[in-house]
Amino acid sequence: MVYTYRLAALLVLLFATVGFSSAMMDEQPFRPSSISLNYSLSVTKNNISLNYSLSVKKDNISLNIVWYGKFKPIQRSVIVDFIRSINYSETAAKGPSVASWWKTTEKNKGSASTIVVGKQHILEDYPLGKSLKSPHLKALSGKLNGGGVGSITAVLTAKDVAVEGFCMNRCGTHGSKSSSLDGGAYVWVGNSEEQCPGYCTWPFHQPLYGPRSPPLIAPNGDVGVDGMIINLATLLVNAVNGDQEPASFCVDRFGSGAYPGYAGRVLVDKTTGASYNALGLAGRKYLLPAVWDPQAAECRTLV
């Protein structure tokens, strides 16, 4: 996985002088049931772009899922279990958990959000074809009625679906489902197992460029899906913190000591050899990205 670190450095500099300063100067109280349509700086692979995004600021968020293309039942189960694990705090007693990772978001937005799995819609017959453009993603996000304020719809595309910009400058994106403030937000993530595993699934595949260190073993045995979870996790954090994009400051960091080309010191399953840093429900393990901690002024990893 390759990022343009000179652009990333510029991003940090810009936000250090503008974004974070503005956030600290804004003394308006946080309103847990509000949403706002605003500009956000979205960091994608080898690309930094300014675009509109919807900042969802609500205590209870319903996450709907549109499955576009063919996903195996076990693949859907791994992703759904990740979402359900966000609120499953019981695993915290056994070690670093998905729930404790998500809790870091409250340091950025002033209040923790509870995410629950909402409606699911399976489109295995590719009604819009296997080559999608950005307007198609927004259209797909509107397939499920309901939600509105405080809702997010995740559009997940299968490994044989090409999406505009996919593998070229992005592995996913997030934005508003409509121009209406009560339309909710959407995120899109594609399965890159066959199209660009070295671009969107690192560190589970050797990167296209840079250090050629051995890839890590995916915790759920599926490079494409485990890579999707990394990107979905990043986008969910950014979607609920749209004016700050806290996960975009910490790309490619999964454990302590991480640096470009090295994911950091993470946990390893003694039986399978798989790498992970978070426990979920049903005994699942996940590798999740670091999140910016404004109090410590650093990227916070679970291990």
Side-chain angles (χ1 to χ4, degrees):
M1 179 182 294
V2 184
Y3 286 84
T4 304
Y5 285 95
R6 286 174 293 181
L7 290 177
L10 175 59
L11 168 64
V12 174
L13 178 60
L14 286 173
F15 268 78
T17 57
V18 180
F20 285 128
S21 297
S22 298
M24 290 185 288
M25 293 173 63
D26 185 0
E27 297 180 354
Q28 288 185 318
F30 172 71
R31 295 176 176 82
S33 295
S34 68
I35 62 173
S36 59
L37 191 65
N38 52 63
Y39 283 107
S40 72
L41 202 55
S42 177
V43 179
T44 55
K45 309 295 184 186
N46 295 322
N47 183 52
I48 297 179
S49 60
L50 188 66
N51 53 67
Y52 283 106
S53 73
L54 190 69
S55 174
V56 180
K57 297 180 178 179
K58 187 176 176 66
D59 286 340
N60 299 307
I61 297 173
S62 177
L63 180 61
N64 305 311
I65 306 175
V66 174
W67 304 92
Y68 191 85
K70 291 181 171 60
F71 286 87
K72 297 177 182 178
I74 185 62
Q75 292 179 316
R76 292 197 294 268
S77 177
V78 168
I79 293 176
V80 170
D81 282 349
F82 160 67
I83 299 168
R84 293 171 59 207
S85 296
I86 287 176
N87 305 316
Y88 191 70
S89 59
E90 285 82 353
T91 51
K94 301 178 182 179
S97 66
V98 175
S100 59
W101 168 82
W102 182 256
K103 190 174 177 60
T104 307
T105 62
E106 69 181 76
K107 296 182 180 181
N108 288 279
K109 64 193 292 286
S111 176
S113 296
T114 297
I115 291 186
V116 296
V117 178
K119 301 177 181 179
Q120 297 186 55
H121 191 33
I122 299 176
L123 297 172
E124 291 188 324
D125 56 349
Y126 307 91
L128 300 179
K130 292 187 177 182
S131 181
L132 306 180
K133 295 189 179 297
S134 294
H136 293 143
L137 301 177
K138 182 172 288 190
L140 287 170
S141 72
K143 285 287 185 179
L144 294 172
N145 295 323
V149 176
S151 73
I152 300 176
T153 295
V155 178
L156 306 179
T157 52
K159 61 184 179 182
D160 57 348
V161 178
V163 178
E164 181 181 17
F166 189 33
C167 293
M168 297 176 63
N169 55 27
R170 62 180 182 172
C171 301
T173 190
H174 74 93
S176 60
K177 287 194 286 188
S178 70
S179 57
S180 171
L181 288 180
D182 61 358
Y186 81 92
V187 300
W188 157 71
V189 176
N191 185 326
S192 63
E193 177 185 0
E194 295 183 351
Q195 299 183 52
C196 57
Y199 189 62
C200 294
T201 68
W202 189 87
F204 303 130
H205 191 281
Q206 283 193 328
L208 295 176
Y209 308 100
R212 308 292 289 179
S213 55
L216 304 182
I217 297 177
N220 293 285
D222 190 316
V223 169
V225 168
D226 279 304
M228 288 183 76
I229 288 171
I230 291 175
N231 295 316
L232 177 60
T234 299
L235 289 166
L236 286 178
V237 172
N238 288 344
V240 300
N241 295 276
D243 53 343
Q244 298 176 24
E245 303 268 334
S248 293
F249 290 94
C250 307
V251 293
D252 290 357
R253 301 185 187 187
F254 301 94
S256 58
Y259 56 81
Y262 174 57
R265 291 181 287 275
V266 296
L267 303 176
V268 177
D269 186 291
K270 295 180 180 179
T271 301
T272 64
S275 296
Y276 68 99
N277 60 8
L279 300 172
L281 56 77
R284 295 207 185 278
K285 298 178 174 66
Y286 299 98
L287 188 69
L288 303 178
V291 177
W292 178 259
D293 184 338
Q295 297 175 1
E298 66 180 12
C299 291
R300 180 74 67 183
T301 60
L302 285 172
V303 294

